[in-house]
Amino acid sequence: MAYVPGVALLAALVVGCSAGSDSNANGADSKAGSPTVTPAPPGKYETLPAPCRAVPRGMLKDLLPGAAQLPGDQQEKVFRGSASVTYDTDRKVGCSWKSDAPDATRSLSIDFERVVSYDPAVSDDDRADTVYAKKEKAAGLSSSATPGPDAEKNTGTPGEEEKGKGKGADAEKPEDPAGDATASADPSSSSSPSGGAGGEGGAGGSEAGPEDTLPSRVLDNLGDAAFLHDLPTRAGSTAQHRTVSVVFRTSNVVVTVRYAEQPALVTQVPDSKELQEKAQALARKLAETLSE
């Protein structure tokens, strides 16, 4: 008679322990968990285009005028371009072209960077925006600047006060213009014959003197964010060298276009208006290509 109640008691203890364990487990889950964090959405782009085939042949002929006069095989070599060395083509690719003409040398390069955020709380787009913002800041620009000394720069107004800003120790750095802190209002740029062109985010040529060019500026209607950086420099005792860079972000991809000219003669000055217009046209074409 004593055996049966003992078995019943043991069974009751086992059931009680199991119930207690489940209760503790559920309680631990509910206490330890902060509200569930929904992973940030991935970026729109999972791949990058083939950079050396991203620029239409017609645009390359226009951007590299010297190549059209070359023999067929040499011309084909120029238009084929040279792919950038990269260790992860899913994340970063690029291509460059160069052509020599009797009057000047033109060079072009494009870079695509696909940004991936490894933080589930930060989206790929937000991470890409951070990468873009650093480049914009390095160029001496900021689309989110508060009204003040830089307000004119953001609107692209090439006033006399604006042209005097950004000079200093960094103004002579020869680094990549897309990430250089050099302001476009370099004294050497005042010798440019172009009067500036009206364009997205910038003022028209009517406000600029005959020897002025539009400065570096934030651009509108190009990707999610964009800016143009115009960097005139002198290559030693040779002619003036000018590089125009257009950087833009679309979703989680940051694209950089660099277009440069170095005239053959010291007395010649690169046409800033032409370089800026062609660099912007190519950037817009690449933005369309990405959206397809």
Side-chain angles (χ1 to χ4, degrees), residues 10-50:
L10 179 61
L13 290 173
V14 171
V15 172
C17 290
S18 299
S21 299
D22 292 342
S23 175
N24 290 338
N26 293 335
D29 288 343
S30 61
K31 290 179 181 178
S34 344
T36 303
V37 177
T38 303
K44 177 180 179 180
Y45 302 103
E46 297 181 355
T47 60
L48 293 172

Side-chain angles (χ1 to χ4, degrees), residues 60-68 78-79 97-99 106-108:
L60 283 176
K61 289 182 177 179
D62 183 49
L63 291 163
L64 307 169
V78 170
F79 290 143
W97 299 261
K98 182 178 180 180
S99 73
R106 296 281 181 103
S107 60
L108 169 70

Side-chain angles (χ1 to χ4, degrees), residues 192-194 239-242 261-263 268-273 275:
S192 173
S194 61
Q240 185 180 126
H241 180 277
R242 182 181 292 273
E261 176 185 351
Q262 182 170 338
Q268 293 179 328
V269 177
D271 188 336
S272 175
K273 175 183 177 181
L275 295 178

Side-chain angles (χ1 to χ4, degrees), residues 231-242:
L231 179 67
T233 58
R234 285 199 173 276
S237 59
T238 61
Q240 185 180 126
H241 180 277
R242 182 181 292 273

